[in-house]
Amino acid sequence: SQTIHQWPATLVQPVGSPLSLECTVEGTSNPNLYWYRQAAGRGLQLLFYSVGIGQISSEVPQNLSASRPQDRQFILSSKKLLLSDSGFYLCAWSVGDSQYFGPGTRLTVL
Amino acid sequence: AQTVTQSQPEMSVQEAETVTLSCTYDTSESDYYLFWYKQPPSRQMILVIRQEAYKQQNATENRFSVNFQKAAKSFSLKISDSQLGDAAMYFCASGEETSGSRLTFGEGTQLTVNP
């Protein structure tokens, strides 16, 4: 069966510091991968998606970036965090039309 | 571009009773999918049910069923025999075949189940 991992689960970072969130998927090949952000009490905003290694599409221009160095690894990064980057970050995968989500990372920028 | 609207920010239901959550969507595509996700306090997003737009038959998963009205672009979720564990935020989402399975989410409905 397929599983998806995200780490860290919780992160507190100062403004201006770098960020690296990692997502890995097990039990499937060639998945589509997605990064979403969720503000408190709100819906999900798609940030990036990838259909293959090195292929990244950005949905929202901002100071975040994504990379896919391996088939089942998806990384969300920032060189300098802003206060507005605080939120809950969710990674998801799909093979076909349904998406399955990881446990998420709660990021607080102080 | 797709839009998904959930007009009920909060709903409540008595345990063992039935509740219906509303969702409307807008899309220019003829081939698309619709989903309901559940987000409990742990914040893990859990796929509850999916519907393919080309299928007229409403999807059912145990106590969860949908009422898909394609012409009205409506996709409601019915939860029968509500249980305390059903308490969560519920999100409606749509995805278009031509967009690499990207999903557009509504703002969610917070469901409370009263004992």
Side-chain angles (χ1 to χ4, degrees), chain A residues 69-89:
Chain A
Q70 300 180 43
D71 181 46
R72 290 170 289 177
Q73 183 185 30
F74 205 23
I75 298 171
L76 182 69
S77 303
S78 175
K79 293 182 179 179
K80 289 186 177 181
L81 283 168
L82 307 173
L83 287 174
S84 57
D85 292 324
S86 292
F88 190 62
Y89 288 82

Side-chain angles (χ1 to χ4, degrees), chain A residues 38 42 59 97 99 101, chain B residues 37 44 50 101-102 107:
Chain A
Q38 184 181 30
R42 302 296 301 276
E59 293 292 302
D97 56 270
Q99 290 187 23
F101 288 80
Chain B
Y37 282 87
Q44 170 100 44
R50 65 184 283 276
S101 298
R102 285 174 288 168
E107 288 296 303

Side-chain angles (χ1 to χ4, degrees), chain A residues 17-61:
Chain A
S17 64
L19 173 73
S20 181
L21 303 181
E22 189 165 342
C23 170
T24 59
V25 181
E26 297 177 355
T28 187
S29 297
N30 303 316
N32 288 351
L33 297 172
Y34 311 83
W35 278 112
Y36 290 89
R37 179 168 60 198
Q38 184 181 30
R42 302 296 301 276
L44 275 66
Q45 178 188 38
L46 179 63
L47 301 176
F48 301 95
Y49 76 97
S50 171
V51 299
I53 296 174
Q55 301 178 64
I56 308 295
S57 295
S58 174
E59 293 292 302
V60 182

Side-chain angles (χ1 to χ4, degrees), chain A residues 32 34 36 38-44 46 49 59 88 90 94 96-103 106, chain B residues 33 35 37 39 41-47 50 52 89 91 97 99-103 105-108:
Chain A
N32 288 351
Y34 311 83
Y36 290 89
Q38 184 181 30
R42 302 296 301 276
L44 275 66
L46 179 63
Y49 76 97
E59 293 292 302
F88 190 62
L90 287 151
S94 71
D97 56 270
S98 299
Q99 290 187 23
Y100 301 92
F101 288 80
R106 186 184 307 273
Chain B
Y33 303 87
F35 306 87
Y37 282 87
Q39 188 178 42
S42 68
R43 301 192 77 175
Q44 170 100 44
M45 292 286 285
I46 302 165
L47 178 60
R50 65 184 283 276
E52 294 154 318
M89 181 74 88
F91 291 96
E97 185 68 29
S99 65
S101 298
R102 285 174 288 168
L103 297 182
F105 285 83
E107 288 296 303

